[in-house]
Amino acid sequence: MLDQQCADAVDLARAAAEELAAPDPVGEHLGVVAEGDRIVTHRFACTSRAYVGWYWAVTVARASRSRVVTVDEAVLLPGEGAVRAPEWLPWSERLRPGDLGVGDLLPTAADDPRLVPGWGEALAPGLEEAGEDDALDRALGWQLGLGRARVLSQVGRDDAADRWYAGDRGPDAPIAKAAPGQCSTCGFLVPLTGVLRRAFGVCANEYSPADGGVVAVDHGCGAHSEAEVLPPAPAAAPVVDELGYDEVDARPAPHEPGSVDDASPGEDLGHS
């Protein structure tokens, strides 16, 4: 229920808003809202150009059986259509592919689900059903980590596989649909190791747009090793002009006399 004495304290509420808004003036009174017994919030338009669509909210109240109204709180709040900053996100959630630059560091959380210890039971699927000795043998045989403290977990592998398969190097890319064959039949495909070998490889064709990148085995491009080679175009027959002719001087060109006189007999060089 709206307390009338608090609702009538418009000037008191405006003075509190003007104190916070200075030097900007406070706009028109937008109305009152009952917050509880003898508690009312007055709303005033904000005229600051930096807060378009915001309003000043001043809450006033009075004690029971008291006619004195006091200010409890004054604050600037966004209204409908207010210009607001985007919701804050931690830096780890704001990162996008390509944001990491030279000298930047991207620390990985200790509990990152994409990673597991370099070797252990968590690496091999189905170890929970095996005995302790068998589980250890299978874990060692699954992946030793090669000196790395952590390696990809099953979650990390699945995330990478889904991202690669749905990206520009997957089977649904326009270049793959127009390709003469799949990467699985291309001589330039270098298969990955481990469980990802069955679905992905690295392109080793320098003329392919995917050179040096991971491609799905059912991806493809026009640089396929077995693409049909067009035969060379036949050479055109020469055209001979039989009507015209050019005068050619067949006489030897004159030259300056040398150390041997042309009129003297030749020297016997001993040749048979």
Side-chain angles (χ1 to χ4, degrees), residues 122-185:
L123 287 174
L127 290 183
E128 59 275 4
E129 293 87 6
E132 182 177 353
D133 295 338
D134 187 28
L136 181 58
D137 292 340
R138 291 175 58 187
L140 290 174
W142 178 260
Q143 187 172 358
L144 291 175
L146 302 178
R148 293 173 290 171
R150 292 186 290 177
V151 295
L152 274 177
S153 66
Q154 184 173 352
V155 173
R157 290 193 299 270
D158 291 345
D159 287 348
D162 292 342
R163 185 172 62 253
W164 294 343
Y165 203 77
D168 295 336
R169 308 289 171 81
D172 295 330
I175 192 172
K177 295 181 178 180
Q182 294 184 346
C183 293
S184 59
T185 59

Side-chain angles (χ1 to χ4, degrees), residues 43-250:
R43 297 190 303 167
F44 300 91
C46 177
T47 61
S48 174
R49 297 174 59 184
Y51 291 91
V52 177
W54 291 59
Y55 65 92
W56 292 102
V58 181
T59 302
V60 297
R62 68 181 181 89
S64 177
R65 299 181 181 179
S66 175
R67 296 184 178 180
V68 179
V69 179
T70 58
V71 176
D72 280 1
E73 184 181 27
V75 65
L76 185 63
L77 297 176
E80 295 183 5
V83 178
R84 305 178 63 178
E87 184 179 356
W88 183 86
L89 292 174
W91 66 267
S92 59
E93 298 181 20
R94 295 197 303 268
L95 284 176
R96 293 294 179 268
D99 288 349
L100 194 66
V102 178
D104 295 338
L105 296 178
L106 181 59
T108 305
D111 57 349
D112 193 320
R114 301 172 300 172
L115 298 171
V116 290
W119 67 273
E121 295 182 1
L123 287 174
L127 290 183
E128 59 275 4
E129 293 87 6
E132 182 177 353
D133 295 338
D134 187 28
L136 181 58
D137 292 340
R138 291 175 58 187
L140 290 174
W142 178 260
Q143 187 172 358
L144 291 175
L146 302 178
R148 293 173 290 171
R150 292 186 290 177
V151 295
L152 274 177
S153 66
Q154 184 173 352
V155 173
R157 290 193 299 270
D158 291 345
D159 287 348
D162 292 342
R163 185 172 62 253
W164 294 343
Y165 203 77
D168 295 336
R169 308 289 171 81
D172 295 330
I175 192 172
K177 295 181 178 180
Q182 294 184 346
C183 293
S184 59
T185 59
C186 182
F188 294 106
L189 180 71
V190 180
L192 298 182
T193 60
V195 296
L196 294 177
R197 176 188 180 93
R198 295 172 295 179
F200 299 99
V202 176
C203 178
N205 188 344
E206 62 178 321
Y207 299 109
S208 170
D211 179 40
V214 176
V215 294
V217 295
D218 47 356
H219 181 65
C221 72
H224 194 283
S225 63
E226 309 308 318
E228 181 180 358
V229 179
L230 295 177
V239 178
V240 179
D241 185 3
E242 299 179 351
L243 299 179
Y245 64 93
D246 295 329
E247 293 185 359
V248 178
D249 189 359

